[in-house]
Each structure stands twice: as structure tokens, then as C-alpha cells.
Amino acid sequence: MTFVTMGLLIAGAVAMAVPVLIHLLSRQRRRPIEWAAMRFLLEALRKHRRRLQIEQLLLLAVRCLILLLLGAALARPFLESAGLLEGGGARVVYLVIDNGLASGVRGDTERPQRTALAASIDTAVQIVESLGPGDRVGVITAARPAMGVVVPPSGDHRAIVELLRGIEPAEAPTDLAAALPLLNRALEEASGERVVAYLLSEFRAGSAPLEATLPRIVSGDASAPVLLAAEAVQRMAPNVQVVSVEPLRGLVLAGGEEGTGQVTVELARCGGELPRDVSRVRLVGEGLPPVEPKTVQWSPGQLAAQVDFVVNLAGRGDGGISLAAAIDDDALAADNTRHTTLLSRNKVRALLLDRRSFGTDPEIDRLRAGQWIQRALQPSDRSPIDVVEVDPAALDTVDVRGADVVVATRPDLLTGRGWDVLRSFVNDGGLLLVTPPGGSNVHPWTTRLTETLGLPWRIDLEVAEPPVPLILANEQPASELMRLISADLADLARPVTVARVLPVDPQQARGATIVAFADGSPLVIAGSPRASDDFGDTPGGQGLVVYLATSLDLGWTNLPAQPLMVPLVHELLKQGIGLIRTSQRYSVGEQPALGLGAAAASLQDPRGQTIAINATGLPEVALGRSGLYGVFDHGKQRIGSVAVNIDTAAGRTDPQDPAAVTEWLGKSGGWVTFDSDDPAAALRTAESGAPLAALLLMAVLALIVIETALARWFSHAHRLGAAGGITVSDEMAEAAAMAPHGH
């Protein structure tokens, strides 16, 4: 036990003065009176006086040192806090707090409204309050982005407790893989000190993904710090999440059937044993007419469900439409709402890159690919697509400004500047449709396409002419781009034949096949510069590139003259634009590439905080809350909005096996579980005053033994005469000299 009191130090100092006072008082003598035999004793005294003085001073010093060390041992924390025992073994305690999304789960049987984080904070406060004045505390939070809140550690325990009480559950995932390296660096800075690290979490599935690998933070040597982790809880916490809000079309065109759409809301359940339950689902949107809520009847153990809403989104003009699906509060409120945005257009703006023609239209069998595309995009005067034709050799940034899609039927005519313009257009979230030109057999532009746009494709340089025209597969791959015509796609594809093709190597083309030939090779492939296998996983801010492996020329294929032509081109454009919009999914805790274009200068989060957007399109700080973020230009005018949602995987409340969690943590260091009822127990086994105080007490015991031996030795009572008689000691001689003379 450590004694923290000024009184013990004062008592030790006072006690040290007692031997000195006794020594000084003993030096007061009576006036000596000489007697007959005194001259012999005085002679002996003169010979041994110096040795006697040294012996007395040595004995006095030993006795004073005993009292001084005893007081210092008991009052060590006071001395250390005063700087008199610098670095004398004080502890450094680091608290790694899981404040991620899952830490907001409620449902404690004793305190139902208390969150898991609140329980961790109570434990942390208990640990801090058990520390001595010389101990220092550091705090690291694990919600993404992980932060060293108090690094280096502080000795102001009161301020630490206030800071801990102010931590709230974040909406971002727990990121222990980033928090542990922060702890590791802090431990390196505390090298040579005694360190205890606490990891405070419930280790639910959302906080501790056991399939992930944690970085190793310490070596297994003897100087490694003490690593203590809370035990994984086993309490069930049934929770319902809104995992997606998916409109049938991400692009809403004004008027008619184009403005009415289906919205599918998907729910998921987690948290252990799942009983029979009911969830009420609401769909709301800015300016959206009231929508009747839907009810989900959960069966015991049921994990997923979905409901469909039909809403009228027409008449919104150019801009964005925001939707939000919500359910009633449950164990974890943060994942009960999810947002999405749709793009609303009066007209789709399409830019056609083709060499301009003048005069009357040629015969139908002599139409170029660009002319077939223009006819398909505008089959009537009521078409919702406006087409602007631009010479590819003169393409400039001004041309693509305001365009939703660029169709390049003559990519061979693009200059280097033109390819750079297309790269910026796609990076800013644009849709690019590319077809081979019909008048060439060799196509070196394909290399420029894949390299400039960063596409993971390999397109042949030479045209292939199979001996028998290729036909389309009877069963086409499932694709979001073709979802609305998927029921009729097989019938529409049956009469299509392709005599010439500029093929994509299916082994080298990482992308989604939209329309396939009978041999499985792609006729239409789509992908993003940064997508891996599916354009539907396009990172936020990236556009979409669609490649048609044949020229829309009757010398290559009969597709332009078949019924499939118009719905194919319209769905590629409409669904492509909509999917780009809905695939721009941003999660709380990230700093994604927004791809909002050069006009976007800042964001405004749901609480009204402004976040600057840098020149590369990245927000200056991580997105900290879910909801709708306003997008503002340099003139502080609102130009749009983006939806930011929680990562549903981070909200999984399933309890996990404590042994599995311990094994998982053990791969990063020597973590052991502490007693949740007495978290400070481990600290008492390594008290801050124990090492030095123990040494001081051992020194006191040794000095007592030495003092006893010296006192006996300096008394000379043990000396015997050479002939077996008793020799008069020097003390006796001195006493005799001081004795009064008698008669």
C-alpha cells in the first residue's frame, strides 16, 4: 500500500533530530574534581579521544539515516511529486477506448439506457482514480480515425476524468488496426518506464472482426508493458439495421412513367438470439408526398427482410432528390436511418464525339455509327435526351461542362488533350460510352483508352472477323444496367448478329459484362478506373466507362437496325448515370475522393459544420456523421448534396466467444483479461511506490542491524584483558574523570 501524506515526511524529519538532541545533551558535563588516581585515566583518555569522537559521530549518522530512510519510504509519492525523486518508478497507464459505432449499443439489464461505451468509461474512471499522484495517464480512442487524445500522457487525473466523461459513441467503425499502432508509438516513447495498457471494449462483432489481422504492438521481451483487455461480453443485444435504400432508377426524368419509381428498403438483424419481432419502416424525402409506412413481421431467427415503396418523383427539375428510410429505435439507434440521393433531370445531356456531316441524311445502309446513335437517343421529339455533336479532334473542357454522358464513336480522332478531358470527365463522375470506328482494321487508340483512363482492360488492336457471325447468348448476365429490360432481353437479343468485332480479352478485362456473346465473350463491358470486378462497387467520386466491342455500323453488325438498339442505348445511358449517382456511397469515418467537380469547394455536415474540399477532391477531415451533406461552390452557393451513411458491418452487435477474442488479441501482443469488477487489481500488484519503497525499507532493516553491531562494538564491553582480567574501558576512564571527588 502507498502512503501519501506530508505528515509522515515531517514525522521522519522530527524523529531524525532526536538522536542529535540526545548526543548534544549528553555532552553537558559537571565540573571535574581531581583525585589521586585520576592522572592515569586522563592519560588513557588523551590517547583515545579522537577515536571515540569518530565512533560516536558514525553511530549518530547511522541512527539518523535509519529515521530519514524510513520517512522517505513512507512518503515517497510526496517526494516524487515535488521532483525530489525524479522518475523513481511511476507508472504510465494508457487507456484504449472503443468508442466506435457498436459501442453505442444499449440493453444492460441493470441500466437499460446505458451504452456499452458508458460502461467502459466507468471502468476507465475507476482505473484513473486508483492511481497515485506520480502516475500519468494517456487516452487513445479507437473510432475511425483512431486518435491519440491524450498523448503524451498527463498527470492531471481530474482533467483526464472530465475528458473521459465527455467521450460519446461515434458513428464510425471501430478501427483497432489503427489504434494499436498509436499505442505502440506511445509505448516506444515511454521506453524505460513501467507501462500498463488497458483495452476497453465489449468486443462485439462490429468492433472486433476476428477475421482481420491486428498489427503487433510489442515484442515479447521482459521489458514489455502489461497489456490488459476487457472480457468479451456475452449479453445479447438484438438490433435491426437499415442496410440499403435502392431506387429502381438512380436517374429521375421529369414527366410520365419516368418520374414514378420503386424504392426497395432492405433490413437486417443481428445481436445473438433473435426473437419474433415487428419493425415499422418509413420512407421520407424532401418535398416527397407522405408515404404509408410498411411493417415487417420478423420470425424467430430471421436475419433479413425487404419492403418496396412506390413513389412519385416527377416534376423536380434539374438537381438532386434525397430519400431516407428509417425504423423505430432499438438497441443501437445509429443504424436505424439510411440516406440516398437520386439525380433529377428534365433532359439528359449527351455529348456525341463524331465527325460532323453536312447536307441531307444518307441512305439508311450508309449511316455512320454516330448517326445511328443519334437516332437511337432521339427516336422522337419527346425524347428525354438532348444530343450535342462535337468534333473529337477539337474536344475541350468547355464542351463536357454540364454533360451527363459522352458517346465516343470516333475515339481514333481524339488528341492527347481530348483524352485528358475525358479522364477528368470520368473522374468527376461522368459516363463515357466508347465504340470502335467503322472504317479501320487497326486500332491503336485502344491502348490510349485503357492507359489514360486507368482501365484494367486489354482490348485487341486488330479487328476480328469470325467465319460465322457471332450471335448473342440466350441467357444474358444479370446486370444493374439491363435490369429494367432483363425480362425481354433474351428475345430482343436473338436476331442480333455481329460480323466484325474489336474484342476484349475476357481473362484480362476486370469489369462487368453487360451483354455477352454465345461463347461468353463480352459485347458490352462496363467498369470504373478503380473498380476491381464489378462497376457496382465503384468508389465514391468515380464515373463509369462502357465499351461496345463492335461498331454501330451495318458493315459490322445488324444491331442498329434491330429492336434491341433503342432500349440498349437508353438503358446504358439512363441506368449508367443513375448507378454512378447511387454508387457514390460515402461512409462515416472516411475521407473519400468525392469527385464532385472543380466547382465544389466545401461540404456542410448535418450539424452545420463546414468541411473544406481540397484540390484533389478530398475533404480536409474525415466525414464524422451520417446524413445529407450540402455541397457548396466557391461562392458559397449550394450546388447539390451527397449522402453519408454508417458502415452496417460496424454496427453488428453479435456477442463473440471470449476465447476466440483472446486468441485474436494475442496475435498482436501479450494481452490478458482483467477482472471487470476490480479493474485496478493489476495496478496494485505494481504499486507506483513499491520498488523504491521496498528498497528503502530493506536498507532501513540493514542499517538497524549495522547500528546494533556498531553500538555493541563501540561500547568496548567485549574486550578482555590479556591475562583474563577486565580492562577498564575508555568510557569508564572518561566517566571517572567526570565523577565528583569524594573523601
Side-chain angles (χ1 to χ4, degrees), residues 25-72:
L25 291 174
S26 68
R27 296 181 61 86
Q28 295 182 0
R29 304 177 181 180
R30 297 181 182 182
R31 183 173 61 85
I33 300 175
E34 296 186 5
W35 50 287
M38 185 176 177
R39 61 188 183 90
F40 300 105
L41 295 176
L42 292 176
E43 183 65 26
L45 179 62
R46 279 192 294 270
K47 293 180 180 180
H48 299 287
R49 181 183 296 275
R50 184 173 182 82
R51 181 169 61 83
L52 289 173
Q53 290 176 342
I54 294 174
E55 290 175 351
Q56 291 173 353
L57 291 175
L58 183 59
L59 194 60
L60 176 64
V62 170
R63 289 169 177 167
C64 292
L65 188 58
I66 289 174
L67 296 175
L68 179 63
L69 292 182
L70 181 60

Side-chain angles (χ1 to χ4, degrees), residues 363-577:
E363 298 293 331
I364 193 169
D365 59 345
R366 300 182 61 184
L367 289 175
R368 301 188 319 274
Q371 292 170 322
W372 281 114
I373 284 283
Q374 188 159 7
R375 289 192 174 202
L377 293 178
Q378 293 180 315
S380 69
D381 294 337
R382 299 180 59 187
S383 174
I385 300 176
D386 279 340
V387 180
V388 177
E389 196 172 359
V390 174
D391 189 337
L395 181 65
D396 194 79
T397 305
V398 177
D399 298 319
V400 300
R401 189 174 298 165
D404 297 306
V405 58
V406 174
V407 181
T409 59
R410 292 300 304 269
D412 56 318
L413 299 180
L414 285 166
T415 64
R417 177 172 177 77
W419 285 113
D420 291 339
V421 169
L422 292 181
R423 179 184 61 194
S424 298
F425 174 72
V426 173
N427 286 341
D428 288 342
L431 172 64
L432 174 63
L433 172 62
V434 181
T435 69
S440 303
N441 289 325
V442 180
H443 299 265
W445 59 268
T446 58
T447 302
R448 196 69 177 266
L449 168 70
T450 56
E451 291 181 353
T452 302
L453 273 66
L455 294 167
W457 300 344
R458 192 173 109 184
I459 304 174
D460 288 355
L461 296 178
E462 295 185 6
V463 174
E465 297 186 32
V468 178
L470 299 174
I471 60 174
L472 301 184
N474 290 328
E475 292 188 9
Q476 292 295 328
S479 168
E480 286 295 315
L481 288 176
M482 296 289 108
R483 182 171 59 169
L484 294 184
I485 62 171
S486 59
D488 301 319
L489 188 55
D491 292 336
L492 292 172
R494 190 172 293 115
V496 176
T497 60
V498 177
R500 307 185 76 198
V501 63
L502 190 60
V504 179
D505 186 344
Q507 303 300 320
Q508 300 293 327
R510 287 166 31 219
T513 298
I514 309 303
V515 180
F517 290 113
D519 62 2
S521 60
L523 170 63
V524 181
I525 188 172
S528 167
R530 290 191 297 174
S532 55
D533 297 312
D534 186 351
F535 69 90
D537 295 330
T538 302
Q542 291 294 305
L544 186 65
V545 179
V546 179
Y547 172 68
L548 185 66
T550 188
S551 176
L552 294 175
D553 185 309
L554 293 180
W556 287 57
T557 177
N558 68 350
L559 174 60
Q562 297 300 321
L564 177 60
M565 179 67 176
V566 172
L568 174 65
V569 174
H570 275 250
E571 289 305 302
L572 287 176
L573 268 61
K574 294 177 185 178
Q575 284 293 86
I577 294 170

Side-chain angles (χ1 to χ4, degrees), residues 22 45 81 121 197 205 305 314 333 346 353 420 513 571 588 595-596 702 735:
I22 294 174
L45 179 62
S81 64
I121 295 300
N346 288 319
L353 302 183
D420 291 339
T513 298
E571 289 305 302
V588 179
L596 299 174

